[in-house]
Amino acid sequence: MKYFTITTFTIVLGIATLAAGRSILSEKPDFLATCSVKSSDVGACLAKNFEAMLHQWKDGIPGLKSVGSLDPMHIKRISMSQADGGPIAVNLNLTNVEVSGLSETSIKDNGTDIKNLILKFKLIEPAYKVTSDYALRGKLLAYEVNSKGQVIIEMERVLQTLTMHVTLREEDNLKFAEIDQVQIVWDDVGGMRVHFGNLFNGDAALEESADELINGSWRFFYEIIRPAIQQSQERFFKNFISKIFRHIPFSYLVEGL
């Protein structure tokens, strides 16, 4: 079976700048702990810091206004396509994407190796919701589709593994992390519901039938699209977290490197 491949992934997230150049968070917030590289629980300490950032900065990161809010998070466009074969063969374009619920994410250490600059965490998301305009063309399970409208995707009990490989650079006597590689693995999802509004251009009965088919076999549907979800999220995380790491000195998070 062929899977979705990401053809385009455009994120409107600028880097905040000052007249003198790039913006840097001037003081470490009180809710962030400086973890010791010598500590046996440095990974757990870092996990708490990243979780605290999501909770404390859900409305936006100080000094990095162009990144926008973390919850809800806004993404300009996501495009996916699968050329042929299998039960899904579509071109799907999502625009004006809003993702809500991420600030409730729990983050746990999952084997961080700080000396080799490998950060590895388990993400536990109780529930989140994606709302977006869509344009869909092709075959979706048993249906031929060519439609535009709004799609709502709701997921619950999402478990993911996030691994980041970073390098360090020094600037103004502070160390900053640069992301070399990001890997996201979707370990499990407890439930998922999808609704494509106007999927059959106003045919409510056919739309309801498609909803029942997709959501009645959501696990099958999820397994087909999982590679595309992982790939798009990896690209997003590398872009998004890179901006945060350029703004927040890694020295605020870890000492002794």
Side-chain angles (χ1 to χ4, degrees):
M1 181 182 297
K2 294 186 178 180
Y3 293 108
F4 282 115
T5 57
I6 305 302
T7 56
T8 308
F9 194 83
T10 306
I11 305 161
V12 178
L13 291 170
I15 301 175
T17 58
L18 300 175
R22 184 171 54 83
S23 171
I24 295 173
L25 191 66
S26 59
E27 294 184 2
K28 181 177 75 69
D30 292 338
F31 64 81
L32 292 180
T34 303
C35 311
S36 172
V37 72
K38 296 179 181 180
S39 173
S40 59
D41 66 349
V42 61
C45 179
L46 273 172
K48 289 181 181 178
N49 276 336
F50 290 126
E51 184 177 304
M53 289 181 193
L54 278 178
H55 297 172
Q56 295 289 330
W57 288 338
K58 63 175 293 186
D59 296 324
I61 299 172
L64 204 54
K65 293 181 181 180
S66 56
V67 165
S69 66
L70 303 184
D71 191 4
M73 183 176 290
H74 296 93
I75 303 170
K76 184 178 180 181
R77 176 174 174 161
I78 304 173
S79 295
M80 306 178 188
S81 68
Q82 180 183 358
D84 53 50
I88 295 178
V90 296
N91 290 316
L92 174 62
N93 292 300
L94 303 180
T95 54
N96 304 316
V97 184
E98 180 179 280
V99 183
S100 58
L102 297 180
S103 63
E104 300 304 315
T105 301
S106 297
I107 303 177
K108 308 295 182 185
D109 181 45
N110 195 44
T112 290
D113 181 357
I114 194 63
K115 292 183 179 178
N116 289 307
L117 300 176
I118 299 172
L119 314 180
K120 189 173 183 179
F121 305 106
K122 184 72 69 177
L123 310 183
I124 304 142
E125 298 157 351
Y128 72 82
K129 180 178 180 180
V130 178
T131 304
S132 174
D133 297 326
Y134 81 87
L136 179 65
R137 185 188 196 107
K139 182 178 71 173
L140 182 64
L141 299 178
Y143 302 96
E144 295 292 331
V145 292
N146 184 6
S147 58
K148 295 180 180 180
Q150 186 178 74
V151 61
I152 299 173
I153 304 170
E154 296 175 286
M155 293 187 179
E156 59 185 30
R157 299 190 302 278
V158 178
L159 302 179
Q160 301 168 304
T161 300
L162 168 64
T163 304
M164 295 182 285
H165 298 252
V166 304
T167 55
L168 296 180
R169 62 176 176 80
E170 191 163 335
E171 180 179 336
D172 296 329
N173 296 317
L174 293 169
K175 286 189 170 65
F176 291 82
E178 296 283 350
I179 297 180
D180 294 327
Q181 183 180 353
V182 171
Q183 181 185 46
I184 293 280
V185 175
W186 281 61
D187 300 306
D188 195 24
V189 172
M192 182 175 76
R193 288 195 60 80
V194 181
H195 173 68
F196 286 97
N198 197 46
L199 186 59
F200 298 103
N201 302 307
D203 189 328
L206 196 54
E207 185 174 305
E208 182 178 353
S209 176
D211 274 355
E212 290 178 357
L213 179 59
I214 292 170
N215 293 310
S217 55
W218 71 265
R219 173 68 69 177
F220 171 74
F221 183 75
Y222 160 74
E223 290 296 342
I224 290 175
I225 67 173
R226 177 159 65 167
I229 296 173
Q230 290 181 167
Q231 186 179 355
S232 63
Q233 193 174 19
E234 284 173 358
R235 294 186 182 190
F236 172 75
F237 265 58
K238 186 171 184 179
N239 185 300
F240 182 68
I241 299 176
S242 290
K243 290 176 171 61
I244 294 175
F245 278 177
R246 292 186 191 116
H247 180 65
I248 303 170
F250 204 65
S251 302
Y252 290 176
L253 305 178
V254 180
E255 63 181 1
L257 287 172

